[in-house]
Amino acid sequence: MVPPELEEGLPLERIKDFSLEELLGMAVKAEIGARKFYESLAERIDIQELKNKIEWLAGEEKKHEELLRKIYANMFPGKEIVFPKEHIGPELQPVARQLHGVEDIIDLIRWAMKAEEIAAKFYAELENMVDTEEKKRLMRYLSDMEWGHYYNLKAEYELLLDWAMYSQMMNVGP
Amino acid sequence: MVPPELEEGLPLERIKDFSLEELLGMAVKAEIGARKFYESLAERIDIQELKNKIEWLAGEEKKHEELLRKIYANMFPGKEIVFPKEHIGPELQPVARQLHGVEDIIDLIRWAMKAEEIAAKFYAELENMVDTEEKKRLMRYLSDMEWGHYYNLKAEYELLLDWAMYSQMMNVGP
């Protein structure tokens, strides 16, 4: 079941229906959404090791947002960023509710993995749409970074599924 | 050309010639080698953003070493860890020389990527060799984490190849 922090958005194939300007706007918006999601999630997690990791992800998304704003300013000088109403892939929203137990955390991390995976594929598609080697490189950079996040989350996810082991390993719990 | 910080080691297919005990010993040794490599590399890098990332990797490998020692102690209680002379995949050594320019850094990062990739595949193979779901989970965790490192390094590597752009983006250089 899709949690309230997530809108499923359009499938990746719809990428061809948008201009590069709109897609970069979506990317900026997605990075902001991801940052706010991770920040609010970290506030609701007591497991220190996991909290640190989620905060680290929030910081990474902040840097990506700044990088994308630079790219946008470079490609469309003097223009305000266009944020299309529609978006490709899951869009993350801040976690505004109380989380109950590890199952809620596991569920949100699974969705964050999905969002990171689609973001990685989205940037790989943008690589084919931008025109210079420099811009292609930046898109590869962003794509690789999101794959890095995906695997980092996947690792934690795997262990969280066995909560007894996780709490023993991370020296948390009763 | 293989740099002095790296021994190429045996191909992954040789994994079946060793016992699980030996393979876990190799894994501990590889994590120690990787940590020392990243620590010494970070000391020789002036680019703050990259230095932070490399230091972060060193910290991660330290945690993996501790986790592997726990797994070993659990599987072979009271036994000293066996460190086989041979090892699967590239073994990283501390960087003891002065690095000259960004080309040296690029070269070492490419080798670190290779080592992370083989480590990820190595743990995936170990997953098939250990007997309980708990141990399998831990091997998946380690494999996923190393893939996370691989993509993180790959992202930096891509940008470092265009040094002019990297230094502008990271606000370094003249």
Side-chain angles (χ1 to χ4, degrees):
Chain A
M1 213 179 62
V2 179
E5 293 79 11
L6 192 124
E7 272 186 66
E8 286 209 78
L10 303 171
L12 195 58
E13 304 79 69
R14 291 287 305 278
I15 203 167
K16 60 180 174 356
D17 300 342
F18 297 90
S19 68
L20 185 56
E21 191 179 356
E22 288 172 314
L23 292 169
L24 284 175
M26 272 181 210
V28 172
K29 202 169 150 213
E31 296 290 355
I32 296 171
R35 172 173 54 81
K36 290 186 177 170
F37 170 82
Y38 287 130
E39 280 171 354
S40 56
L41 179 59
E43 280 172 19
R44 282 161 178 78
I45 289 180
D46 296 328
I47 313 159
Q48 194 59 45
E49 190 73 21
L50 188 58
K51 193 187 189 79
N52 294 348
K53 180 151 287 180
I54 302 292
E55 282 171 353
W56 170 75
L57 287 168
E60 296 265 297
E61 308 300 21
K62 179 71 193 157
K63 285 186 238 166
H64 293 181
E65 179 198 338
E66 287 162 8
L67 174 58
L68 282 161
R69 285 183 184 276
K70 278 192 206 177
I71 298 170
Y72 197 97
N74 172 278
M75 289 176 71
F76 307 101
K79 287 192 77 175
E80 286 282 314
I81 296 186
V82 175
F83 294 115
K85 280 219 180 93
E86 293 184 289
H87 54 89
I88 307 276
E91 196 173 60
L92 297 167
Q93 308 283 340
V95 183
R97 60 188 161 122
Q98 190 84 35
L99 299 181
H100 298 287
V102 71
E103 291 74 19
D104 279 357
I105 300 174
I106 288 173
D107 195 42
L108 288 174
I109 289 193
R110 200 176 54 234
W111 282 104
M113 281 165 61
K114 190 75 200 157
E116 295 286 358
E117 184 187 351
I118 300 217
K121 292 177 178 171
F122 179 79
Y123 288 123
E125 289 289 334
L126 289 192
E127 186 191 335
N128 300 322
M129 297 177 72
V130 292
D131 55 1
T132 65
E133 184 49 39
E134 178 172 319
K135 288 181 203 123
K136 284 179 191 296
R137 239 183 242 294
L138 289 166
M139 293 305 144
R140 278 203 291 278
Y141 172 84
L142 288 165
S143 179
D144 288 335
M145 290 294 282
E146 306 298 15
W147 279 125
H149 297 174
Y150 171 82
Y151 281 105
N152 232 292
L153 286 168
K154 184 165 178 286
E156 300 301 326
Y157 175 78
E158 272 297 338
L159 288 202
L160 281 169
L161 290 177
D162 184 345
W163 174 243
M165 183 177 63
Y166 192 94
S167 47
Q168 193 201 351
M169 257 188 55
M170 303 301 182
N171 303 313
V172 292
Chain B
M1 214 179 63
V2 179
E5 292 79 11
L6 192 125
E7 273 185 64
E8 286 209 78
L10 303 171
L12 195 59
E13 303 80 70
R14 291 287 306 279
I15 202 166
K16 60 182 173 353
D17 301 342
F18 296 90
S19 69
L20 185 56
E21 191 179 356
E22 288 172 316
L23 292 169
L24 284 176
M26 271 181 212
V28 172
K29 202 169 150 215
E31 296 290 355
I32 296 171
R35 172 173 54 81
K36 290 184 177 169
F37 169 82
Y38 287 130
E39 281 170 354
S40 57
L41 179 59
E43 280 171 19
R44 281 162 178 77
I45 288 180
D46 297 327
I47 314 158
Q48 195 57 46
E49 190 74 19
L50 188 58
K51 193 188 188 78
N52 294 347
K53 180 151 286 179
I54 303 292
E55 282 171 353
W56 170 75
L57 286 168
E60 296 265 298
E61 309 300 20
K62 178 73 194 154
K63 285 187 237 166
H64 294 181
E65 179 199 338
E66 287 162 9
L67 173 58
L68 283 161
R69 286 186 185 274
K70 278 192 205 177
I71 298 170
Y72 196 97
N74 172 278
M75 290 176 72
F76 307 102
K79 286 192 78 177
E80 285 282 314
I81 295 186
V82 175
F83 293 117
K85 280 217 182 94
E86 294 183 291
H87 54 89
I88 307 276
E91 196 171 60
L92 297 167
Q93 308 283 339
V95 183
R97 61 186 162 122
Q98 190 84 36
L99 300 180
H100 298 286
V102 72
E103 291 73 19
D104 279 356
I105 299 175
I106 287 172
D107 196 41
L108 288 174
I109 289 193
R110 202 177 53 235
W111 282 104
M113 279 165 62
K114 190 78 201 156
E116 294 287 358
E117 184 187 352
I118 300 217
K121 290 176 178 170
F122 179 79
Y123 288 124
E125 289 289 332
L126 288 192
E127 186 191 335
N128 301 321
M129 298 177 72
V130 293
D131 55 1
T132 64
E133 184 50 38
E134 178 173 317
K135 287 182 203 122
K136 285 179 191 295
R137 238 181 243 294
L138 290 165
M139 292 306 145
R140 277 204 291 278
Y141 172 82
L142 288 165
S143 179
D144 287 335
M145 290 295 281
E146 306 298 15
W147 279 125
H149 297 174
Y150 170 82
Y151 281 105
N152 233 291
L153 286 168
K154 186 165 177 285
E156 300 301 325
Y157 174 78
E158 273 296 338
L159 288 202
L160 282 169
L161 290 176
D162 184 343
W163 174 243
M165 183 177 63
Y166 192 94
S167 47
Q168 193 202 350
M169 257 188 54
M170 304 299 183
N171 303 312
V172 293

